[in-house]
Amino acid sequence: MNISYNWLKEYVDFELTAQEVADALTSEGLEVGCVEEVQPVKGGLQGLVIGEVLTCVPHPNSDHMHVCTVNLGEGEPVQIVCGAPNVAAGQKVVVATLGCKLYDGDECFTIKKSKLRGVESLGMICAEDEIGIGTDHNGIIVLPETAVPGTPAAEYYNLKSDYLIEVDITPNRADACSHYGVARDLYAWLVQNGHKTALHRPSCDGFKVDSHELDIDIEVQNAEACPRYAAVTLRNCEVKESPEWLQDKLRTIGLRPINNIVDVTNYIMFAYGQPLHCFDADMIKGGKVVVKTMPEGTPFVTLDGEEHKLSDRDLAICNVEEPMCIAGVFGGKGSGTYETTRNVLLESAYFNPTWIRKSARRHGLSTDASFRFERGIDPNGVIYALKQAAMLCKELAGGEIAMEIKDVYPNPLPDFVVDLNYEYAYGLMGKNIGADTVKSIVTSLEMKILEETAEGLKLQVPAYRVDVQRPCDVVEDILRVYGYNNVEIPSAVRSTLNVKGDEDKSHKLQNLVAEQLVGCGFNEILNNSLQRAAYYDGMESYPASHLVKLMNPLSSDLNAMRQTLLFGGLECIAHNANRKNADLKFFEFGNCYYFREENKCPDIVPGVSSSRDPEVIQHVLDAYSEDYHLGLWVTGKRVSGSWAHPDEDSSFYELKAYVLNILTRLGVNFGALVFAPSRNDIYSKGIEIQNRGGKVLAMLGIVSRKIQKMMDVDHEVYYADLNWKLLMKAIRNNKISYTEIGKFPAVSRDLALLLDKGVEFAEIEKVAYSTEKKLLKEVTLFDVYEGKNLEAGKKSYAVNFVLQDETKTLNDKQIDAIMNKLIANLQAKLGAKLR
């Protein structure tokens, strides 16, 4: 939120600089992102001074220019050529001296020594629009006789810079979403740090009803969604441009002025945190405002021209015939104020934060008003803001207040009552700061002390502090004002020793694998666990029915927990590819989440089972599960732009090498793995790496064209998914052992096997290792042939077998016996033939 330094000073007295204010707010938990100087006039009128025209004669070579001598207050008078029709001797004027920079929108030009029609000119006598203090260009500015030559124009116009303080408001601090809210916090800090200060805001004593000529009825049908609704009318207003002081305030904080009525409502919201809405009273059909919900599917067009379908859980502000606005979120077409508006109704309300939050998310609308309403505003500030707005509208737009304020507030919201124990507070803070300091801070934060004992305080916390409802919340408030840096670090360190467990081993191996991948040219990515549920529509391996969906999603793009890391990586690839960076290698560690309807607990029966029952809670959780995964993405070119190597595209086999290297680094026993074709529909082609129990440790393949198209990715993407939890289980009992390098030579034998096309290499591996478990060290496929000279439906595998005995040299007899046995088993189990 943007805070104006000068505006802030209207509510709290202080002598701090803008940067000191920023430091104080940051120390209190209202973190300041930046402090930026803002000039009300671009350039700050630098280089402009007050001058006196001593002489003014017609230009010898022009029928409209004049040659003037101007006294600038010091030194010799200067000669300036001026083309304005109203220039004359004896005038006090504004002069742009040599080197002065003047602005026309974003364009800047510098005043230089020049010749106009052959006569030298050493400056420029300015009009209003040329220096940015007005729009008049009919002639130069003529100042009163009292103006003193040589006075800087910025000093003459009393032009002071403002400072924009950008405060990052956390979701729990709805009370600080205004200048007065920030002023309250700053006031508490000033009091605690011994500064002379006072907190104040304008009085409402000037509010009075002028007539009862424009009475509009108010009816609230849904008090749950709208606990408080107030309104007042003004008649015979003139909708026009706001005065400069109001426009400057709004522009400083980044708002565009619209007209005096709308600007007042924006001013009040950013001043006091109470959103308002203004209606053209003549457009309120039936002369009545009804606050209610509408039937499901009711069409509604917002001010921006977009049509929405209202839900029966959307609170609407209606007239007797139709909805005029989605309460607290967005106004409807025709519900605002226009140049033709003469009669105005001002609305000030407190809406249920949950209702507003859900409506804003449901329609994908986010406004300054909904931002405040959904976090919880001050229910007791509704009338104050309404009165201030009415008085200001009357001042700026004329007219009269034409009805008594109607305030529908059937069930007043109470303040929060909190019991604070001193010992509890000191223990939580880590320091005994004394009861007097505690009382001083809570009082400065507008908390009332209802009761006081030696042990603690009973406090009444204002209703606008929605984040302070428990003793620990009060302690946090006290500590942030007292200053976290004022709590000393103890000299003694208390610690306990823990034995490293499975989690520690997992983290260590994650770092090891991450370093390995970075060394191979990968970049680590970190994506949101929330994804678009629509990604999973029509999928078989990750069906939409297995999604963990959010009850109150921030948007339709973040409405479900991810089942796979794939889509986050594809979003990153699309983002980079659209920025001419298409050769990519990514990896990510992250959780994936699943819901199984069949594991869902039965409905809780009132009086029989309780939602607090541990067994019931466990049954609820049984439907949900999560796994930790490692994802790898490879796309684009493996080699590009190298003088020593031709360009080469990435391939599936490159990805496979990375996956196998990871498994090798983790110490996975390849003899216990099974390689099988993947039937996962995220791949057009892929393989799975399973353990003997059939659980998938890893899968890799080419991402399907359908998914690539959906994610707007043009290049082929190779993706691998490793189930980290299962991999950790697979190596849990691994023990590191060391052996001598074999002293006896290994023996290599090749077989060319003719097999049916449906036989996979993994089946050959399985048969080979089951045939010879001791001496067979390695089985490698080095050629596959399909084509001429082979029977129909057949293919040829060229397979290499490596045999080695650690204790002696193998002789031909032993080798032949093993190979014959291998051939026999391959023939018997796979129907293989030797070529």
Side-chain angles (χ1 to χ4, degrees):
M1 176 180 166
N2 292 332
I3 295 294
S4 161
Y5 172 78
N6 291 339
W7 194 347
L8 192 64
K9 295 187 79 169
E10 295 178 13
Y11 305 121
V12 61
D13 300 334
F14 58 85
E15 299 298 330
L16 304 178
T17 65
Q19 187 57 54
E20 288 171 336
V21 169
D23 294 340
L25 294 176
T26 298
S27 72
E28 285 190 292
L30 297 178
E31 184 179 355
V32 173
C34 68
V35 178
E36 178 184 346
E37 185 176 2
V38 179
Q39 296 171 329
V41 175
K42 196 167 185 178
L45 302 186
Q46 294 299 311
L48 292 161
V49 297
I50 307 303
E52 180 182 9
V53 181
L54 301 177
T55 65
C56 179
V57 297
H59 192 291
N61 301 318
S62 172
D63 59 358
H64 70 279
M65 292 186 185
H66 295 80
V67 180
C68 308
T69 54
V70 182
N71 171 24
L72 298 181
E74 57 182 29
E76 294 295 323
V78 298
Q79 179 173 284
I80 298 176
V81 177
C82 180
N86 64 329
V87 64
Q91 292 175 337
K92 301 292 178 64
V93 294
V94 178
V95 178
T97 58
L98 296 180
C100 172
K101 295 182 183 297
L102 298 180
Y103 296 87
D104 182 10
D106 293 330
E107 295 184 10
C108 170
F109 63 93
T110 303
I111 302 298
K112 299 177 182 177
K113 183 189 294 187
S114 61
K115 283 190 176 182
L116 299 177
R117 299 281 180 92
V119 177
E120 187 176 59
S121 180
L122 302 176
M124 175 179 169
I125 303 175
C126 302
E128 281 187 359
D129 65 328
E130 291 169 333
I131 64 174
I133 64 166
T135 58
D136 186 16
H137 192 69
N138 292 325
I140 59 169
I141 303 168
V142 179
L143 301 175
E145 283 292 323
T146 54
V148 179
T151 305
E155 182 181 324
Y156 177 83
Y157 284 106
N158 195 27
L159 195 68
K160 295 180 180 178
S161 291
D162 198 353
Y163 292 89
L164 186 66
I165 302 172
E166 185 182 302
V167 181
D168 298 329
I169 303 294
T170 52
N172 62 319
R173 292 303 307 276
D175 64 292
C177 291
S178 66
H179 283 75
Y180 188 71
V182 171
R184 281 188 301 231
D185 255 28
L186 182 59
Y187 169 76
W189 184 91
L190 292 166
V191 170
Q192 173 59 26
N193 288 274
H195 294 267
K196 186 177 179 180
T197 185
L199 183 67
H200 42 77
R201 63 179 181 177
S203 168
C204 289
D205 293 343
F207 177 86
K208 71 181 184 70
V209 178
D210 300 304
S211 72
H212 297 83
E213 299 295 323
L214 186 58
D215 191 74
I216 292 182
D217 290 335
I218 305 295
E219 180 185 352
V220 177
Q221 294 185 4
N222 192 326
E224 177 201 347
C226 180
R228 187 172 196 178
Y229 191 92
V232 70
T233 60
L234 293 95
R235 64 190 294 266
N236 296 327
C237 298
E238 181 185 359
V239 177
K240 58 184 179 180
E241 192 176 77
S242 296
E244 279 299 318
W245 69 265
L246 179 53
Q247 291 192 44
D248 287 344
K249 281 182 181 292
L250 298 179
R251 287 195 193 101
T252 298
I253 61 173
L255 288 183
R256 180 177 62 86
I258 298 173
N259 60 52
N260 50 0
I261 302 297
V262 175
D263 291 350
V264 164
T265 62
N266 284 331
Y267 170 79
I268 294 297
M269 177 170 64
F270 283 93
Y272 309 114
Q274 173 66 52
L276 304 174
H277 192 74
C278 49
F279 297 90
D280 187 322
D282 296 327
M283 293 185 179
I284 302 175
K285 298 176 181 177
K288 182 176 182 179
V289 172
V290 184
V291 184
K292 63 180 181 178
T293 56
M294 299 296 291
E296 184 74 34
T298 300
F300 177 75
V301 180
T302 49
L303 280 168
D304 57 3
E306 294 291 325
E307 181 171 317
H308 298 260
K309 299 293 184 182
L310 297 182
S311 162
D312 59 2
R313 298 292 291 173
D314 288 329
L315 185 67
I317 310 300
C318 311
N319 54 41
V320 294
E321 296 180 10
E322 61 193 359
M324 298 185 294
C325 127
I326 302 175
V329 180
F330 218 102
K333 191 174 182 180
S335 72
T337 54
Y338 309 90
E339 290 183 1
T340 56
T341 298
R342 291 293 173 265
N343 301 320
V344 174
L345 179 134
L346 292 175
E347 163 198 283
S348 181
Y350 175 86
F351 298 116
N352 186 307
T354 303
W355 279 70
I356 302 304
R357 186 185 310 116
K358 289 183 177 181
S359 287
R361 300 296 178 269
R362 189 178 294 121
H363 296 284
L365 298 171
S366 181
T367 60
D368 288 324
S370 67
F371 179 87
R372 287 159 176 77
F373 278 128
E374 67 187 33
R375 284 161 174 78
I377 62 167
D378 181 8
N380 298 319
V382 168
I383 300 302
Y384 174 83
L386 188 59
K387 287 181 176 180
Q388 287 292 323
M391 290 191 294
L392 201 50
C393 285
K394 182 179 176 181
E395 176 187 338
L396 302 185
E400 59 184 20
I401 298 174
M403 81 173 193
E404 296 286 348
I405 289 178
K406 294 193 175 178
D407 182 16
V408 182
Y409 197 19
N411 303 304
L413 298 172
D415 291 338
F416 309 112
V417 176
V418 180
D419 291 315
L420 180 67
N421 181 277
Y422 288 135
E423 289 304 317
Y424 169 79
Y426 302 151
L428 204 56
M429 287 188 283
K431 182 178 181 180
N432 185 335
I433 64 173
D436 290 341
T437 302
V438 170
K439 289 187 285 185
S440 171
I441 292 175
V442 297
T443 304
S444 68
L445 289 169
E446 298 188 345
M447 300 180 193
K448 294 180 181 178
I449 300 175
L450 300 178
E451 295 178 16
E452 181 180 353
T453 65
E455 288 75 31
L457 305 169
K458 180 185 283 293
L459 299 171
Q460 181 178 333
V461 182
Y464 65 77
R465 288 307 305 274
V466 293
D467 61 319
V468 182
Q469 302 183 30
R470 303 168 298 171
C472 60
D473 299 329
V474 176
V475 174
E476 181 187 4
D477 244 26
I478 294 169
L479 187 54
R480 68 184 181 83
V481 175
Y482 179 76
Y484 291 101
N485 292 335
N486 293 326
V487 178
E488 296 81 4
I489 298 174
S491 57
V493 178
R494 297 180 175 86
S495 63
T496 56
L497 297 176
N498 289 322
V499 178
K500 285 187 177 180
D502 290 339
E503 283 298 314
D504 300 288
K505 182 179 178 181
S506 175
H507 287 307
K508 180 180 178 181
L509 290 174
Q510 285 175 46
N511 290 332
L512 197 67
V513 169
E515 289 172 1
Q516 177 179 328
L517 289 169
V518 169
C520 293
F522 279 79
N523 287 297
E524 184 171 12
I525 58 175
L526 184 63
N527 289 298
N528 199 330
S529 294
L530 301 177
Q531 285 185 342
R532 185 185 301 178
Y535 285 159
Y536 299 88
D537 290 345
M539 294 193 68
E540 295 179 5
S541 301
Y542 302 106
S545 60
H546 288 178
L547 283 170
V548 178
K549 293 187 178 179
L550 274 66
M551 294 179 65
N552 300 308
L554 294 171
S555 70
S556 59
D557 288 340
L558 300 170
N559 58 352
M561 306 294 282
R562 64 187 176 193
Q563 289 191 69
T564 172
L565 303 177
L566 171 65
F567 297 111
L570 291 177
E571 287 174 351
C572 292
I573 288 172
H575 180 86
N576 279 271
N578 290 337
R579 287 154 182 80
K580 307 300 181 183
N581 185 24
D583 304 332
L584 302 166
K585 293 177 185 174
F586 289 146
F587 75 95
E588 179 182 12
F589 286 97
N591 281 314
C592 296
Y593 308 86
Y594 313 96
F595 170 72
R596 296 290 189 274
E597 178 72 30
E598 60 271 18
N599 296 336
K600 191 176 180 180
C601 70
D603 293 336
I604 297 173
V605 181
V608 178
S609 56
S610 167
S611 61
R612 295 175 181 267
D613 188 333
E615 290 188 12
V616 173
I617 294 173
Q618 186 57 50
H619 281 309
V620 171
L621 296 178
D622 283 344
Y624 300 89
S625 62
E626 65 179 88
D627 273 330
Y628 200 63
H629 286 251
L630 166 61
L632 306 180
W633 295 260
V634 175
T635 187
K637 294 187 180 296
R638 189 175 79 85
V639 180
S640 176
S642 172
W643 65 270
H645 196 292
D647 287 2
E648 181 182 331
D649 290 334
S650 296
S651 68
F652 167 79
Y653 299 101
E654 181 188 353
L655 178 65
K656 180 184 176 185
Y658 294 134
V659 172
L660 295 182
N661 286 341
I662 291 171
L663 299 183
T664 301
R665 195 72 178 86
L666 293 175
V668 174
N669 178 11
F670 279 79
L673 300 181
V674 176
F675 290 76
S678 175
R679 292 178 176 79
N680 195 307
D681 57 351
I682 65 173
Y683 298 122
S684 56
K685 291 181 181 179
I687 61 172
E688 293 179 353
I689 303 175
Q690 305 173 356
N691 61 17
R692 294 297 182 190
K695 291 186 177 179
V696 179
L697 301 181
M699 58 182 180
L700 57 154
I702 307 170
V703 176
S704 74
R705 292 284 185 187
K706 178 182 176 183
I707 292 177
Q708 286 183 203
K709 184 177 180 181
M710 176 179 69
M711 302 302 295
D712 196 25
V713 175
D714 297 329
H715 296 82
E716 200 132 74
V717 178
Y718 307 97
Y719 171 66
D721 184 298
L722 288 77
N723 189 317
W724 194 259
K725 280 188 176 180
L726 290 180
L727 286 172
M728 291 302 100
K729 286 182 180 179
I731 64 171
R732 180 183 297 166
N733 298 321
N734 280 9
K735 292 183 180 179
I736 298 174
S737 59
Y738 300 88
T739 58
E740 262 188 291
I741 295 175
K743 295 179 180 179
F744 301 96
V747 177
S748 176
R749 292 287 186 270
D750 296 338
L751 293 178
L753 302 172
L754 190 65
L755 296 145
D756 291 336
K757 281 189 176 181
V759 176
E760 300 288 339
F761 173 67
E763 298 175 67
I764 297 174
E765 273 189 305
K766 184 177 180 181
V767 171
Y769 283 122
S770 63
T771 300
E772 178 52 58
K773 298 178 181 178
K774 182 179 178 183
L775 301 180
L776 183 61
K777 302 300 183 184
E778 191 176 338
V779 181
T780 307
L781 176 68
F782 64 89
D783 187 39
V784 179
Y785 175 72
E786 295 181 63
K788 293 180 181 179
N789 303 322
L790 292 184
E791 299 175 32
K794 298 288 185 179
K795 62 182 175 182
S796 173
Y797 277 156
V799 185
N800 174 257
F801 300 88
V802 176
L803 305 171
Q804 186 179 25
D805 192 331
E806 305 290 343
T807 61
K808 61 183 180 181
T809 300
L810 290 172
N811 55 45
D812 289 342
K813 186 177 179 181
Q814 290 174 302
I815 296 168
D816 291 341
I818 294 171
M819 293 306 297
N820 289 333
K821 189 176 179 183
L822 274 172
I823 293 168
N825 283 343
L826 289 170
Q827 290 174 338
K829 296 180 180 180
L830 301 178
K833 295 180 182 179
L834 290 180
R835 289 188 66 200

